[in-house]
Each structure stands twice: as structure tokens, then as C-alpha cells.
Amino acid sequence: MKIRNILMSAVTAFAAATGLVPCNAAVPDSVHAESLELHKSITRKVYEEGLNQGRFDVPYSEDFVGHGGRKTFTHADGMAEAKGWREAFPDLDITVDKQVAERDLVAVRWSARGTNTGDGNGIPATGRAVQITGTTLFRMADGRIAEEWTCADSLGLMKQLGLLAPPAAAPAAGGNAASSTP
């Protein structure tokens, strides 16, 4: 009886991981919980190993698509950008503040801090310390990151670095610039 239960658990776990669950088959909650915890641990590596330590061996799918703002990017583009952040902020430290996982999605709320002592991603070294927050939503497939959407406080970052142009002076009342004549 014990061997039968072990075999059934193994088959169920395999079926759940590969998406091959027969119609009307019940998958134990423990299998779902294990899968969600695996997804969370993989996405946590993006920050703890990749961005913090420069070790970029997180599993991504062959057909990965990233979404940032209005553009999409490939895995190679994403890795180049991640390395650019490490160059611009050699002491980069990102903390995973919160993770929530459901089905094939993992949402991560993160905080980043570092000192801009290098050049990277088009940002010149300013010597300024910064702190920003962001949120990334990952879609997992077969134990790999298949898709991501990231939203971060880019405006706050540029303000902290002093890289925003000052606002233009408002025109004087009556539409004329200030003059020296009374």
C-alpha cells in the first residue's frame, strides 16, 4: 500500500509539472504547493544570484519574452541590461520584499539600492546612492521563466541620480519674459 501511494504521488507530481493531468483527475494540494514554492525559489534567484551577485544561471525558456514599458525584449537583451545595472551599480543590493504565486504566475515586489559609481545602461557614473522599488510578474513554464513584466520607479531613479533636466521657467504674466524696463 505504501509503495502504491509513493508511485501515485510521483505520477501525479510529474503530470502536474508537465501539464499532463487527465480530465477529472485530482492533483493533491501538496503538489500544487511544491510547484508554487519551486516557482518562487526560481524567481528569487533572479535577484539574489543574478542581480546581486552577477551569477546569471537562472533557468529561462528558449522562447522567453520580456515586457518593459512599451517594448518587448529577448533573454539576451534582458541579460545585457542586467549586466549593465551591475556595471552602473557595483554594490547593487536587491531585496525581495514579497512574493505571491498562483498557477503559473509569480509576482515579486522588490527594493533596490546601490551607489552609481560605474557606467552602464546609458547612465554615467554620478557617485550618488539611490533606492527604488518595483514589481515584476513572471510566467513559468516547465520550471523555467517564460515571460516577465517589470515596472520600476525609473523617474525616481533619474531624480535621485540628478539626471533630469530642471523644469523650464514659466513665462511671466502677460506672455512676456521678465524685462528690466519699468
Side-chain angles (χ1 to χ4, degrees), residues 43-44 46-48 51-52 81 85 92-99 106-113 131-138 148-154 157:
T43 58
R44 183 178 288 277
V46 169
Y47 306 96
E48 293 177 350
L51 290 163
N52 285 350
E81 184 175 349
W85 290 122
L92 181 63
D93 180 39
I94 300 182
T95 303
V96 172
D97 300 322
K98 185 72 176 169
Q99 286 182 296
V106 179
V108 180
R109 173 71 173 170
W110 50 265
S111 300
R113 58 197 62 67
Q131 183 171 344
I132 66 166
T133 58
T135 303
T136 303
L137 179 64
F138 295 94
E148 78 176 56
W149 295 261
T150 297
C151 183
D153 184 12
S154 300
L157 174 66

Side-chain angles (χ1 to χ4, degrees), residues 80-90 115-126 157-158 161 163:
E81 184 175 349
K83 290 174 182 176
W85 290 122
R86 297 262 328 134
E87 291 168 4
F89 299 89
T115 309
N116 178 222
T117 56
D119 296 331
N121 289 343
I123 299 173
T126 64
L157 174 66
M158 297 311 235
L161 292 173
L163 297 176

Side-chain angles (χ1 to χ4, degrees), residues 43-104:
T43 58
R44 183 178 288 277
K45 283 183 172 187
V46 169
Y47 306 96
E48 293 177 350
E49 294 180 12
L51 290 163
N52 285 350
Q53 300 173 17
R55 294 187 350 221
F56 298 102
D57 57 357
V58 177
Y60 283 83
S61 67
E62 295 282 328
D63 58 348
F64 169 84
V65 176
H67 307 273
R70 296 181 182 175
K71 64 178 184 168
T72 61
F73 56 91
T74 65
H75 180 255
D77 296 335
M79 289 297 100
E81 184 175 349
K83 290 174 182 176
W85 290 122
R86 297 262 328 134
E87 291 168 4
F89 299 89
D91 65 342
L92 181 63
D93 180 39
I94 300 182
T95 303
V96 172
D97 300 322
K98 185 72 176 169
Q99 286 182 296
V100 178
E102 182 177 307
R103 296 185 186 159
D104 62 345

